[in-house]
Amino acid sequence: IHLKKILRKNTLSSRDKIELESIEKNIQMFDMNKVVPSVWMWSGNYEGQPSWKARFRFANKKHGLELIGHGCKNGAWKLLVDGQFVDAWTGTVQRKKMIYIPAGEHEFRLVYFGDVSKIEQRQLPFEIEVKFID
């Protein structure tokens, strides 16, 4: 995405234009419209609490998220995007959260305020899907 921006500003030759078109096609091919439950990976402790990460990318800015999921514990959950607080909840979550996210590659971090076993670190103690709102 960053290379696309550079080439748009500095396209000089027909070869540059071909390269730019190729990059734009690849970006569209890997553009994401949601983060599914299976992509969350154990990420160790974050500020002393267990956490999981999920990376995502898109070519065009987004204006919000739709959160759908539940945790199997009684503790609280906190969602961050690129280290910035987005939302927090307990138990089940199903709501839209308006937040601006620029085009590019980003990372969610889901933090649990409670204890998890070694098994739960691998077999997630939650199921959450995040859909992007244009």
Side-chain angles (χ1 to χ4, degrees):
I1 292 170
H2 297 295
L3 183 57
K4 176 184 84 170
K5 290 177 184 177
I6 292 168
L7 279 175
R8 274 193 180 157
K9 291 180 183 177
N10 301 307
T11 300
L12 303 173
S13 68
S14 59
R15 182 131 174 99
D16 290 342
K17 290 178 184 177
I18 292 169
E19 184 67 24
L20 179 59
E21 288 174 11
S22 174
I23 288 171
E24 288 174 337
K25 285 179 186 175
N26 281 331
I27 290 170
Q28 291 302 320
M29 184 169 59
F30 292 104
D31 197 41
M32 299 172 73
N33 63 355
K34 65 182 172 181
V35 172
V36 297
S38 62
V39 302
W40 294 89
M41 302 297 293
W42 170 249
S43 186
N45 285 339
Y46 178 81
E47 297 179 347
Q49 303 299 324
S51 72
W52 293 261
K53 287 183 181 180
R55 295 178 185 260
F56 61 96
R57 74 184 65 78
F58 34 72
N60 299 306
K61 63 187 172 191
K62 304 297 180 188
H63 292 98
L65 306 171
E66 183 176 357
L67 307 171
I68 304 166
H70 64 277
C72 65
K73 299 240 181 193
N74 294 327
W77 299 91
K78 174 170 75 171
L79 181 67
L80 307 167
V81 173
D82 298 332
Q84 300 296 313
F85 176 81
V86 174
D87 203 357
W89 65 89
T90 60
T92 299
V93 63
Q94 184 168 0
R95 64 176 158 249
K96 292 181 181 178
K97 184 74 176 181
M98 302 317 290
I99 176 176
Y100 172 77
I101 306 173
E105 294 187 7
H106 303 278
E107 182 176 79
F108 283 126
R109 184 184 294 264
L110 188 60
V111 181
Y112 177 61
F113 292 87
D115 295 321
V116 295
S117 69
K118 296 262 186 221
I119 293 171
E120 290 172 316
Q121 291 172 7
R122 292 186 307 267
Q123 298 171 353
L124 308 176
F126 63 89
E127 184 170 311
I128 186 165
E129 179 175 281
V130 182
K131 295 180 182 178
F132 301 113
I133 300 170
D134 291 328

